[in-house]
Structure formats: C-alpha cells, structure tokens
C-alpha cells in the first residue's frame, strides 16, 4: 500500500486524519480540517550534530536590501521603493479590479530595467496574456524580450521553470489556481492555497527570486485563500476601487520592508493603469454648483491627504424600520452620527431613511470624516447646500490650501483634542 502524501490536520487541536471529515474526531470542532502535505524530515535535521548558536544583536551582520523598482511610481511608493529580492508579496483584490494588468505593467518596468520576469498564469491562456500585453503596448522592446509567459497552474512545473530560468521576479497569477499533485483538494481550497504558497516561499528564500502571488478577494471579505497567507508573506498589497469607476487605490496592509502607511492612487484607462496627476483631488466629484448633501472632507491615507466627497441623502421613511445605508463608510459609525445629530444638534433623523456614500469608490474609516458626514446629513435634510467644509489637522488644511481652498469649517481647536466623537458635535 502506498503511503498517503497528504493529511487532514485540525486547525483547532492539531489532530491528523487520513481523510476529510466535517467534524474533528479528537476535539469535535466543525470544518477545521485542512489538507496538508506530508513532508519527510530531512536526514540532517534528524541527527543534528552541530551546536546551534545565536548571535548578539550588536554583532549581527548587516544585510543590505536589494530592491528592484517596478517603474510605476505609485506601486514603488507602496512597496517602499521597489520589490525586495527574495521576498514573497501577495497582491489581493476583487476579480476584474486590475491585478493582472498592474502586474504585467510592473513586469514590463522590471524588464525595462534589464531584469527578467517569469509570468506564470493559471487564470488565462498565453494568448490572452498576449492580447493584454498588446493592448498595453508591451509586445515589443525590453518587455517583449524580458517577460516570459508560462500558462501553467501546477506548482511543481512553475517551480521547475523558475529554477531553470532564474528570473528576478516570478508572478503567480493566481494562487487560487495553483495546485500540488500530492493534495487531493481542488484548486483554491485552503490546503492547496497554503501548501502552494509555502513552496513559492521556499523558492523566494532559497533562490532570492521575488515572488508575487495574486489572490482574489470577494466583496464580502476574503475567501479561503488570501487571509490564510497573510502571516506567511512579507508584504500584503490590495488593489481597491469600484469597477464602474476607473480609480484604484493601492494599499499595503503589511510590509516587512517598508511602511504600511503609504497608499497609491491609479486610474484604469484604455491602455492600462496610470498614475493620477493630482492624487489628492482624484476622488473629488465634479460640481459646478454646490449640491445639498454633498460635502468635501479630507482623509489621511497614510502620509497622503486625500480630498473626498461625502454624499448623503435623507428621505422620509416608509413603513418599518428606517434604512441606514453606508457605502465606503462604516455603517455603525453612520448610525452613531445619526444618533449624535438627534441628541446633540436637534437634527432628528429617526423617521428618515439615511444613505451616505464616498464618491469615487473610495472607502475610509477615518474619524475625521465624521464632521463632513454629519454636515452632509444635515445639509440633505434641510435641502441646503454646504459650500465646502474641511475637517482635520494642519496637514489636511495645508493640502486643502494647496488645492486652492481658502475657507475651511473646522472644529474649535480646544474641543477637538479630546476625541473624535466630540468633533462631530462641534
Ligand atoms: P484584470 O487585470 O484582468 O483584473 P484582475 O486580474 O484583477 O481580475 O483587469 C480587468 C479589467 O480591466 C477588465 O474588465 C478590462 C479592464 N482593462 C481596462 O480597462 N484597460 C486595460 O488597459 C486593461 C488591460 C484592462
Ligand atoms: Mg487576473
């Protein structure tokens, strides 16, 4: 009888089973079994003869970080200056948001600087990648020569190609299509995703290749894949936005080689993603006349101040509970602001439906948007436009001033210091 090459391990208690079961036989937890490859312990590790020594902090050798800039300013900014050799990067985002486009453009930038890229795709055929490259104008010149495409989802074969070609960067599009022969589970199952990522991590660490994994995330949070990888990778980037709007926000939620504070602003056009001339005002709606319920606020995304338009609509509710709908804003915060307005400002919205939205598909949970949201609600209820209001600190105001705003409605300085909830009441 052949030995099974995979086990199902309970993520709750660690018990192993040879087949998948809905409930762990040891601890009784449900749906906690994840398929894991069986590894033979290396002989050297079993009989370790050498003594293990740790090194004093002061005597640790310096290890310079080699970075490969990708040539897209906003992506380099979020990465902290470029891709770091030997690192594993996860790029997450909803399907169709532009991950493959961004990575093909980044690959072109890397190739343009004289390095090579292996683009392994299990999502599309080589022909489809060619079509995209043609649309992006990347077929000729350095990108055409420096990027090799492999339409393959079997991890072992991608690794074999990468070990043979030794590219500077390996793109795996996507980790949900990656499969290992020794696992029974289908592509995209937690076991397959995690084991595949581990193999790619090994390649990154042993060969010094930058491995960029693409991970699909659904709107209602994250699917089995990407979340389970976050602790494993060196950087987690996410591409956000609405497909109907061309604007995309690139964030790093984890970065071992840079700050997680930086955001990049990009715009999807006919020929791919490009940088936006003035990111600070990219998310601002266009109005000739001030409209009721529309207020501009300033949110800080990392070290970058972005002007955003809050749009609110307040309408008498029909039967039943009044609706509270928030798009791009935290619904609980919206409910709180409605309550604060009713209690402290005499603006009762208890019998009204309330809708609040951030223009441009942006989402933000900055408390500095409380005041703009509150004013937008009041403005919509009274059907009176607000010219402009800006909430926030000196940097927000500087950015607004730089963009030509001469008047700002801000909380009284003495009262804004203690907490953000109070700001909304000012
Ligand atoms: P894609 O990169 O395939 O998304 P993902 O890999 O995240 O699933 O991009 C998908 C969308 O982008 C698709 O609807 C077409 C659009 N697009 C453009 O608008 N302009 C372009 O130049 C390209 C290549 C794609
Ligand atoms: Mg894609």
């Amino acid at each position: 009888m052949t030995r099974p090459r995979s086990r199902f391990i309970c993520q709750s208690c660690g018990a192993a089973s040879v087949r998948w079961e809905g409930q762990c036989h040891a601890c009784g937890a449900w749906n906690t079994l994840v398929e894991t490859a069986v590894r033979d312990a290396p002989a050297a590790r079993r009989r370790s003869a050498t003594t293990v020594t740790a090194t004093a902090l002061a005597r640790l050798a310096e290890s310079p970080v080699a970075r490969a800039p990708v040539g897209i300013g906003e992506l380099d900014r979020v990465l902290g200056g470029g891709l770091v050799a030997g690192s594993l990067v996860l790029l997450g985002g909803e399907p169709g948001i532009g991950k493959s486009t961004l990575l093909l453009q980044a690959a072109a930038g890397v190739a343009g600087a004289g390095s090579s890229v292996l683009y392994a795709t299990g999502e599309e055929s080589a022909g489809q990648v060619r079509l995209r490259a043609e649309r992006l104008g990347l077929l000729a010149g350095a990108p055409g020569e420096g990027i090799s495409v492999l339409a393959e989802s079997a991890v072992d074969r991608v690794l074999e190609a990468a070990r043979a070609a030794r590219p500077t960067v390996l793109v795996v599009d996507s980790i949900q299509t990656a499969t290992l022969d020794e696992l029974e589970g289908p592509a995209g199952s937690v076991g397959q995703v995690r084991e595949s990522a581990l193999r790619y991590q090994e390649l990154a660490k042993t060969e010094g290749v930058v491995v960029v994994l693409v991970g699909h995330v659904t709107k209602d949070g994250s699917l089995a894949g990407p979340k389970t990888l976050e602790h494993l990778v060196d950087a987690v980037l996410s591409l956000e936005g609405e497909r109907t709007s061309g604007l995309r926000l690139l964030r790093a939620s984890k970065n071992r080689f840079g700050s997680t504070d930086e955001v990049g602003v990009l715009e999807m056009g006919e020929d791919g993603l490009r940088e936006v001339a003035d990111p600070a005002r990219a998310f601002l709606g266009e109005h000739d006349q001030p409209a009721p319920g529309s207020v501009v606020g300033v949110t800080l995304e990392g070290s970058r101040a972005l002007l955003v338009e809050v749009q609110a609509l307040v309408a008498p509710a029909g039967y039943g509970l009044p609706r509270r709908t928030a798009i791009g804003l935290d619904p609980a915060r919206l409910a709180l602001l409605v309550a604060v307005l009713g209690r402290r400002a005499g603006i009762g919205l208890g019998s009204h439906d309330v809708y609040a939205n951030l223009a441009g598909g942006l989402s933000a949970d900055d408390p500095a948007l409380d005041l703009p949201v509150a004013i937008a609600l009041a403005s919509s209820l009274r059907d009176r436009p607000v010219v402009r209001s800006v909430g926030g600190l000196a940097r927000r105001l500087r950015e607004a001033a730089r963009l030509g705003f001469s008047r700002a409605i801000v909380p009284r300085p003495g009262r804004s210091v203690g907490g953000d909830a109070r700001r909304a009441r000012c």
Side-chain angles (χ1 to χ4, degrees):
M1 200 185 113
T2 54
R3 220 159 52 86
R5 292 190 293 168
S6 72
R7 290 272 161 77
F8 292 83
I9 309 291
C10 173
Q11 303 300 294
S12 179
C13 73
S17 310
V18 283
R19 67 185 64 82
W20 190 82
E21 283 157 30
Q23 186 179 24
C24 172
H25 63 81
C27 71
W30 287 93
N31 292 327
T32 53
L33 265 59
V34 170
E35 193 178 20
T36 311
V38 175
R39 286 188 186 76
D40 293 323
R45 209 181 298 161
R46 266 182 274 152
R47 297 185 301 274
S48 172
T50 52
T51 46
V52 182
T53 49
T55 311
L57 201 50
R59 281 190 291 283
L60 285 178
E62 201 181 331
S63 55
V65 178
R67 289 183 191 270
V70 294
I72 303 172
E74 296 292 282
L75 178 54
D76 280 330
R77 174 190 173 105
V78 174
L79 285 168
L83 292 161
V84 176
S87 67
L88 187 62
V89 178
L90 175 66
L91 173 66
E94 287 171 34
I97 203 75
K99 299 179 296 297
S100 305
T101 305
L102 180 64
L103 289 180
L104 197 58
Q105 287 182 267
V110 172
S115 303
S116 61
V117 179
L118 179 59
Y119 191 101
T121 173
E123 297 260 331
E124 294 160 314
S125 66
Q128 283 169 308
V129 177
R130 187 188 187 281
L131 268 180
R132 179 181 288 118
E134 193 173 5
R135 182 172 179 177
L136 300 173
L138 302 176
L139 282 184
E145 292 301 322
I147 305 174
S148 311
V149 178
L150 180 66
E152 180 62 73
S153 54
V155 176
D156 289 334
R157 263 175 275 169
V158 175
L159 289 176
E160 195 185 311
R163 291 214 157 90
R166 309 212 38 164
T168 308
V169 178
L170 166 67
V171 176
V172 179
D173 190 1
S174 64
I175 194 68
Q176 271 100 351
T177 56
T179 47
L180 279 162
D181 286 346
E182 56 262 54
L183 301 189
E184 294 162 17
S189 62
V190 179
Q192 287 280 11
V193 165
R194 198 151 75 187
E195 286 292 333
S196 304
L198 277 168
R199 300 290 164 93
Y200 286 121
Q201 182 190 39
E202 200 183 308
L203 175 84
K205 303 298 167 212
T206 55
E207 308 281 329
V209 175
V210 182
V211 182
V212 184
L213 306 175
V214 172
H216 292 296
V217 178
T218 54
K219 222 179 181 94
D220 56 334
S222 44
L223 218 68
K227 267 282 180 233
T228 64
L229 300 182
E230 285 184 359
H231 67 281
L232 194 89
V233 301
D234 297 303
V236 181
L237 309 186
S238 57
L239 193 59
E240 300 168 7
E242 272 178 1
R243 257 179 285 175
T244 46
S245 134
L247 285 169
R248 301 285 181 268
L249 206 64
L250 187 68
R251 293 178 204 264
S253 55
K254 168 178 177 179
N255 193 352
R256 285 194 180 136
F257 303 104
S259 143
T260 52
D261 262 1
E262 298 304 337
V263 293
V265 183
L266 296 156
E267 188 170 19
M268 179 68 92
E270 280 301 303
D271 50 357
L273 287 157
R274 25 167 214 270
E275 291 172 28
V276 176
D278 196 351
R281 65 187 322 156
F283 290 91
L284 218 50
E286 293 292 331
H287 294 291
D288 294 337
Q289 295 289 321
S294 159
V295 174
V296 175
V298 188
T299 175
L300 275 187
E301 290 289 341
S303 62
R304 179 174 259 172
L306 294 178
L307 270 73
V308 292
E309 183 176 331
V310 178
Q311 299 165 335
L313 180 70
V314 171
Y319 296 107
L321 278 178
R323 294 178 67 109
R324 306 275 177 259
T325 307
I327 303 167
L329 292 159
D330 179 8
R333 241 189 145 81
L334 176 64
L336 176 74
L337 287 171
V338 167
V340 169
L341 281 176
R343 193 68 209 277
R344 302 284 174 192
I347 300 171
L349 295 168
S351 57
H352 286 78
D353 287 339
V354 170
Y355 306 88
N357 169 45
L358 287 188
L362 189 76
S363 61
D365 54 3
D366 188 348
L369 290 178
D370 287 357
L371 182 62
V373 171
I375 295 174
L377 293 173
S379 157
S380 176
L381 180 72
R382 303 265 191 265
D383 204 24
R384 281 168 55 183
V386 176
V387 179
R388 290 287 193 226
S389 94
V390 178
L393 304 168
R395 193 148 80 212
R396 306 174 193 279
L397 289 173
R398 267 205 307 278
E399 192 64 27
R402 189 181 72 77
L403 294 171
F405 289 86
S406 56
R407 211 174 144 205
I409 302 171
V410 293
R412 262 184 279 156
R415 299 187 62 190
S416 68
V417 180
D420 294 302
R422 265 196 272 158
R423 261 187 233 177
R425 297 182 212 144
C426 297

